[in-house]
């Protein structure tokens, strides 16, 4: 059967090692005129939610128009500082090898289910040579929805793939819950701030410590 692999990006495929927060703060100041004193919780959240909560922490109002300006500013700053992201960030162990191995398999399509805005997602993947393996046209991004379940269902719809033919890989309970709520099998990867037991408790069908063992991951994905 054809297989659709839905990838989370941050702490699943890449680690920006603090650069992401700097770029976010730069975009925030550009659109609000205020420096970012603190940022709302980001793990598993989407950009609209992070912006809304961060604005609240600064006593600022939220609006869709403001989010759209922020999305443009965030994408632009990622483009401007892509070289810095590549130098300071990293692809997580095994991520590139697994993407390449899946891309070489007939019947396997890879896309993303991410809270990032599309432009930022494109830069992050391209910075580490991962964009060549992923069909972004069927992905779901921060512009599409506030919650992970909506993102997962959006990606399935765009890829015209039934849930039983898809598998999601992510590092947070929110990724797991998003996949499970749409009937998608989830593989949790404990490369972020969430441990293996918490990913299992959230409903992940399988949990791995990282993506380093390409052959084992291929077996999990295609079983």
């Amino acid at each position: 059967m054809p297989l659709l692999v839905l990838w989370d990006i941050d702490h699943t495929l890449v680690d920006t090692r603090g650069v992401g927060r700097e770029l976010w703060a730069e975009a925030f100041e550009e659109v609000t005129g205020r420096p970012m004193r603190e940022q709302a919780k980001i793990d598993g959240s989407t950009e609209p939610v992070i912006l809304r909560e961060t604005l609240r922490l600064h006593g600022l109002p939220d609006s869709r128009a403001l989010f759209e300006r922020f999305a443009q500013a965030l994408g632009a700053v990622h483009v401007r500082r892509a070289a810095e992201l590549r130098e300071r960030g990293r692809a997580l162990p095994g991520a590139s090898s697994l993407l390449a191995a899946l891309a070489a398999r007939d019947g396997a399509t890879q896309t993303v289910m991410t809270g990032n805005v599309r432009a930022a997602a494109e830069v992050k993947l391209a910075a580490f040579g991962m964009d060549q393996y992923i069909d972004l046209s069927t992905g779901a991004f921060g512009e599409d929805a506030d919650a992970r379940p909506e993102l997962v269902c959006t990606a399935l719809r765009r890829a015209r793939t039934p849930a039983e033919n898809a598998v999601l890989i992510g590092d947070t309970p929110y990724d797991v819950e998003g996949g499970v709520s749409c009937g998608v099998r989830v593989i949790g990867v404990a490369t972020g701030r969430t441990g293996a037991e918490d990913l299992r408790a959230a409903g992940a069908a399988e949990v791995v410590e990282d993506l380093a063992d390409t052959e084992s991951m291929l077996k999990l994905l295609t079983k």
Side-chain angles (χ1 to χ4, degrees):
M1 295 294 290
L3 174 68
L4 175 68
V5 181
L6 301 170
W7 287 102
D8 173 57
I9 296 178
D10 292 308
H11 301 293
T12 298
L13 293 174
V14 306
D15 181 359
T16 67
R17 291 177 166 176
V19 180
R21 180 184 172 89
E22 293 176 18
L23 304 188
W24 210 96
E26 186 171 330
F28 181 87
E29 184 167 3
E30 180 178 330
V31 299
T32 66
R34 295 194 193 179
M36 187 179 79
R37 301 189 311 271
E38 58 181 321
Q39 186 182 35
K41 182 181 75 70
I42 63 172
D43 286 355
S45 291
T46 59
E47 298 293 16
V49 174
I50 299 169
L51 179 62
R52 182 182 309 131
E53 293 303 310
T54 303
L55 287 167
R56 184 182 60 78
L57 291 172
H58 291 75
L60 297 171
D62 178 42
S63 69
R64 183 66 190 183
L66 179 61
F67 170 72
E68 289 172 357
R69 294 199 303 274
F70 175 77
Q72 291 181 339
L74 188 59
V77 72
H78 273 76
V79 171
R80 290 196 302 270
R81 296 177 62 179
E84 184 179 355
L85 178 64
R86 183 167 52 250
E87 291 165 7
R88 293 172 53 191
R90 64 168 182 151
L92 287 168
S96 295
S97 296
L98 181 53
L99 288 171
L102 279 167
R105 293 208 163 196
D106 290 337
T109 300
Q110 302 177 82
T111 190
V112 295
M113 180 285 310
T114 176
N116 284 277
V117 298
R118 177 165 179 162
E122 289 175 348
V123 171
K124 288 179 180 180
L125 293 170
F128 304 104
M130 298 180 182
D131 56 322
Q132 61 187 305
Y133 306 119
I134 291 178
D135 178 12
L136 290 176
S137 69
T138 57
F141 306 89
E143 294 96 333
D144 294 315
D146 285 5
R148 295 276 167 169
E150 296 172 75
L151 291 179
V152 176
C153 291
T154 295
L156 292 175
R157 184 175 66 253
R158 286 176 175 164
R160 298 181 179 179
T161 300
E164 58 268 26
N165 289 4
V167 60
L168 185 152
I169 304 179
D171 69 288
T172 75
Y174 299 99
D175 298 320
V176 178
E177 291 161 10
V180 170
S181 71
C182 296
V184 174
R185 182 167 67 96
V186 180
I187 299 175
V189 55
T191 43
R193 297 181 179 89
T194 304
E197 288 306 314
D198 287 336
L199 291 170
R200 288 190 188 93
E206 291 93 10
V207 178
V208 297
E209 290 299 324
D210 56 40
L211 305 176
D213 189 334
T214 300
E215 288 305 313
S216 293
M217 286 302 304
L218 287 174
K219 290 176 182 177
L220 279 180
L221 283 162
T222 57
K223 76 175 189 178

